[in-house]
């Protein structure tokens, strides 16, 4: 039987991988081995997703975390190579744009193993973002490029990918599948709305964790000031990423809304369902806001999900206090019209079928 190794390491990768992994187990046409690099390791950033989404326990947990980008990527590269030499897969699947993504793709490519990149072609055109570097390098060495959007396809085309020996596939966005699949279960199992006494209350859901927003005291302070000002009128609920917590402590910054520990996916889906507005620098959450018909203010200077902004479902707020507040105020007063389908359906199935076809052609 043909074998695929999936490289996972961070929260959004567990969510994306849950979809494809389930289809692989249902169809039984090839085998999946899961490698967890350990990039996210707290139980509420990792374990909870495996449990809730019924993702098989990783066969390998490399436990690599808490170091600089170079050391982390380097160690992952070394250890993933060992795993791949041992497992001899026919294909390696990587997701998104983290150090685990790049290390997985590079380790495979150097061994002559084919690479599939789920969420290919996204660009922020901001090379100061570690994620942008990871995704550009990963795309360039991938054989199957699963693009969530037309703009991702056109990014690759304008970088010359039509001349490379790689296949670009417009698959749609796999996070939409995940949300559709787990919505009912999350409504049945999550108690977060009752627990936080949010029933019938108007609230804003905020998440901040990107390096460019947390590493600089002035930037983090400016964003928190906006959230604090907004929370004087409307409650702001913020599941606090460990990095943000650490930097707030370091810079002695406070938040006046409701801070909670990072939540599992089921709780997150309920918070999304009941909130009035999302303010975030997360990539995934921007789309999840749209899937839930909730407007989104992006606490960044740009986004890879440009169609959200073009269609009026999201607005760039940057890190400027006034700009963030203004965008939020507008959205709290007037909702966009959610009549357009931006991200397709059943991306997971499309990705599965392409991979199955591809594997059937490999000797
Ligand atoms: N998420 C979650 N709990 C949280 C915060 C986020 O389950 O406390 C989910 C969120 O719904 C989305 C994903 O994690 O599906 C996004 O991950 P993150 O923001 O860490 O990464 P990004 O999408 O920016 O790469």
């Amino acid at each position: 039987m043909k074998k695929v190794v999936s490289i996972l390491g961070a929260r959004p990768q567990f969510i994306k991988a849950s979809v494809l992994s389930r289809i692989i187990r249902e169809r039984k046409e090839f085998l999946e081995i899961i490698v967890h690099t350990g990039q996210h390791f707290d139980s509420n950033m990792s374990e909870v997703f495996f449990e809730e989404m019924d993702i098989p326990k990783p066969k390998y947990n490399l436990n690599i975390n808490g170091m600089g980008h170079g050391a982390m990527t380097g160690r992952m590269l070394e250890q993933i190579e060992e795993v791949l030499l041992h497992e001899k897969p026919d294909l390696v699947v990587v997701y998104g744009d983290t150090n685990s993504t790049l290390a997985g793709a590079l380790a495979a490519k150097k061994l002559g193993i084919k690479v599939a990149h789920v969420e290919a072609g996204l660009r922020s055109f901001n090379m100061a973002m570690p994620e942008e570097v990871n995704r550009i390098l990963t795309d360039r060495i991938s054989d199957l490029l699963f693009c969530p959007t037309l703009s991702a396809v056109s990014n690759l085309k304008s970088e010359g990918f039509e001349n490379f020996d790689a296949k670009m596939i417009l698959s749609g966005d796999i996070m939409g599948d995940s949300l559709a699949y787990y919505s009912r279960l999350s409504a049945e199992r999550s108690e977060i709305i009752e627990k936080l006494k949010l029933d019938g209350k108007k609230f804003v859901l905020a998440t901040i964790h990107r390096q460019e927003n947390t590493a600089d005291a002035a930037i983090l302070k400016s964003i928190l000031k906006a959230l604090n000002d907004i929370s004087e009128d409307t409650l702001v609920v913020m599941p606090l990423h460990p990095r943000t917590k650490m930097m707030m402590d370091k810079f002695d910054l406070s938040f006046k809304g409701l801070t909670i520990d990072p939540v599992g996916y089921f709780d997150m889906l309920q918070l999304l369902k009941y909130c009035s507005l999302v303010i975030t620098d997360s990539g995934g959450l921007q789309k999840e806001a749209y899937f839930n018909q909730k407007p989104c203010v992006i606490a960044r200077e740009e986004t890879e999900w440009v169609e959200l902004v073009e269609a009026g479902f999201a607005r760039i707020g940057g890190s400027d206090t006034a700009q963030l507040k203004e965008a939020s105020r507008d959205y709290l007063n007037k909702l966009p019209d959610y009549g357009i389908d931006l991200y397709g359906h059943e991306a997971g199935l499309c990705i599965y079928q392409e991979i199955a076809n591809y594997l059937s052609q490999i000797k």
Side-chain angles (χ1 to χ4, degrees):
M1 202 183 234
K2 293 269 166 57
K3 192 196 278 183
V4 161
V5 164
S6 300
I7 309 287
L8 313 181
R11 175 168 69 185
Q13 291 163 338
F14 311 140
I15 294 166
K16 291 164 201 166
S18 70
V19 177
L20 188 57
S21 188
R22 182 167 17 85
I23 306 176
I24 296 174
R25 271 174 286 142
E26 281 167 5
R27 304 270 173 127
K28 299 185 176 66
E29 288 178 289
F30 55 89
L31 191 70
E32 181 191 38
I33 304 282
I34 296 179
V35 176
H36 189 328
T37 62
Q39 192 172 341
H40 281 171
F41 55 93
D42 291 333
S43 93
N44 58 1
M45 297 286 289
S46 171
E47 217 175 292
V48 64
F49 296 94
F50 284 83
E51 276 167 18
E52 286 183 343
M53 307 176 93
D54 204 16
I55 308 169
K57 206 171 147 51
K59 183 167 174 187
Y60 299 89
N61 195 327
L62 308 181
N63 204 14
I64 301 169
N65 48 62
M67 47 188 96
H69 283 284
M72 189 193 287
T73 314
R75 286 211 195 148
M76 286 177 184
L77 182 60
E78 199 175 3
Q79 292 193 31
I80 293 170
E81 181 176 67
E82 269 179 42
V83 172
L84 297 181
L85 282 168
H86 180 69
E87 292 289 345
K88 301 186 178 52
D90 301 284
L91 183 76
V92 165
V93 183
V94 295
Y95 292 86
D97 53 23
T98 69
N99 292 338
S100 306
T101 315
L102 175 60
L106 192 52
K109 197 68 182 177
K110 293 268 184 171
L111 292 173
I113 301 167
K114 302 291 182 191
V115 179
H117 184 202
V118 176
E119 219 175 65
L122 292 182
R123 297 291 181 265
S124 64
F125 302 99
N126 175 1
M127 287 298 270
M129 277 181 85
E131 294 90 345
E132 181 77 351
V133 177
N134 290 339
R135 51 171 95 98
I136 288 175
L137 297 177
T138 301
D139 281 343
R140 186 60 189 85
I141 55 175
S142 293
D143 300 279
L144 291 177
L145 294 148
F146 292 109
C147 301
T149 58
L150 264 176
S151 72
V153 174
S154 78
N155 288 337
L156 292 180
K157 285 186 178 166
S158 63
E159 288 174 25
F161 275 72
E162 280 170 309
N163 305 316
F164 305 154
D165 187 17
K167 186 171 179 192
M168 290 178 272
I169 301 119
L170 177 61
S171 59
D173 180 43
I174 199 162
M175 285 191 107
D177 292 24
S178 177
L179 189 133
Y181 187 85
Y182 292 103
S183 278
R184 191 181 47 80
L185 274 181
S186 89
E188 281 169 19
R189 301 204 187 148
S190 164
E191 292 173 350
I192 189 102
I193 300 298
E194 297 79 12
K195 230 166 59 192
L196 299 180
K197 299 191 174 55
L198 293 171
D199 230 347
K201 235 186 217 166
K202 187 167 182 168
F203 70 95
V204 173
L205 176 63
T207 75
I208 300 295
H209 76 284
R210 297 244 94 81
Q211 183 173 293
E212 65 266 28
N213 281 338
T214 52
D216 181 302
I219 292 179
L220 187 55
K221 189 174 176 189
S222 171
I223 295 172
L224 287 170
K225 166 101 173 78
L227 297 180
N228 284 339
D229 288 356
I230 293 166
S231 70
E232 282 175 13
D233 294 322
T234 312
L235 175 67
V236 179
V237 178
M238 179 154 69
L240 202 54
H241 190 282
R243 171 169 38 204
T244 315
K245 183 175 170 16
M246 186 176 78
M247 298 316 269
M248 283 171 68
D249 289 346
K250 181 174 167 192
F251 301 139
D252 198 19
L253 297 172
S254 62
F255 171 62
K256 292 187 191 142
L258 177 60
T259 324
I260 54 176
D261 284 336
V263 293
Y265 189 56
F266 288 177
D267 283 349
M268 200 58 181
L269 292 187
Q270 291 308 298
L271 289 171
L272 277 160
K273 187 167 159 190
Y274 287 97
C275 73
S276 298
L277 167 72
V278 174
I279 303 177
T280 190
D281 60 4
S282 158
L285 217 60
Q286 292 174 40
K287 283 169 298 154
E288 288 168 340
Y290 156 77
F291 292 135
N292 279 280
Q293 307 204 344
K294 302 298 161 77
C296 179
V297 174
I298 302 168
R300 285 177 48 194
E301 301 302 333
E302 73 283 307
T303 178
E304 300 77 23
W305 305 100
V306 286
E307 50 292 316
L308 287 174
V309 176
E310 282 160 10
F313 302 139
R315 229 185 254 190
I316 298 287
S319 57
D320 178 70
T321 305
Q323 202 180 328
L324 283 166
K325 279 167 63 179
E326 191 190 316
S328 301
R329 196 180 323 111
D330 287 353
Y331 270 148
L332 280 168
N333 290 326
K334 189 175 179 302
L335 280 180
D337 173 14
Y338 288 89
I340 314 171
D341 181 8
L342 293 179
Y343 295 110
H345 299 275
E346 310 237 18
L349 209 51
C350 164
I351 294 169
Y352 175 83
Q353 277 157 353
E354 282 288 343
I355 289 180
N357 275 345
Y358 195 73
L359 289 175
S360 69
Q361 286 158 23
I362 297 178
K363 296 244 164 45

